[in-house]
Structure formats: structure tokens, C-alpha cells
Amino acid sequence: MLSGIEKRVQRAQRWFSQPHPTVPREAEFYWQSFKLLQSERPLGMGGYGPIPVTRILQYARHFGLTPNETTALTSIVLRLDGHDREKVAKRATKQ
């Protein structure tokens, strides 16, 4: 049986796998996490780098997430980060 938290994690993962105009309550933690973790992204000569997985794991430990929740957070943040980096790259090539 899945716990209530694991069910919320699965709903949030399904939600993030498709485009939506608003963020539902069960996905809010992941969205806010992504927004906060963006400040950990390396910037420099290499351009707009990915959010380091080590920072995501530190963030998960800070909030006391379980291993399953940490996996979900990492997966969702990396997916959002990849999408964000693709948009930035497309904008850069259009200029």
C-alpha cells in the first residue's frame, strides 16, 4: 500500500509530465523547490548550467524527505530544469 505522501508524489509526478497553466496544490512543493533551487545553478562561460543533483539532495535532507520523496523531488526538479534550459537555449538561438 502506498502512503498518503507517496500517493501525492505520484500525482505530482503525473502532473509535471504534461503541460498545465496552473500548479495544483499537490505539486506546489515541487514547483517552489524548483524555483528556489534555480539559484544553485552554475552560470559562467559554459552558459546556463543544470541544477546540481547534490544541491537537490541537500535540499531534500534539509526538509527530511524520505528516499521515495527524494527520488520524486530529484526527478521532477531535473525534468523542470531540462525544460527550462531548452527554452533558454531556443531563445538564445533566435537572437
Side-chain angles (χ1 to χ4, degrees), residues 10-23:
Q10 285 184 342
R11 282 194 305 269
Q13 285 177 314
R14 280 193 301 272
W15 184 87
F16 277 115
S17 68
Q18 300 176 17
H20 296 280
T22 60
V23 179

Side-chain angles (χ1 to χ4, degrees), residues 12-13 16 27-41 50-53 55-57 59-60 65 69-85:
Q13 285 177 314
F16 277 115
E28 188 66 31
F29 173 76
Y30 299 104
W31 180 250
Q32 292 301 322
S33 298
F34 168 66
K35 297 308 263 179
L36 288 169
L37 286 163
Q38 283 186 312
S39 67
E40 300 296 331
R41 174 189 317 284
I51 297 171
V53 172
R55 296 299 191 184
I56 299 169
L57 297 175
Y59 186 88
L65 300 185
E69 293 167 333
T70 299
T71 299
L73 176 69
T74 303
S75 171
I76 290 168
V77 168
L78 291 176
R79 184 177 298 153
L80 290 170
D81 188 42
H83 178 70
D84 189 50
R85 292 177 66 224

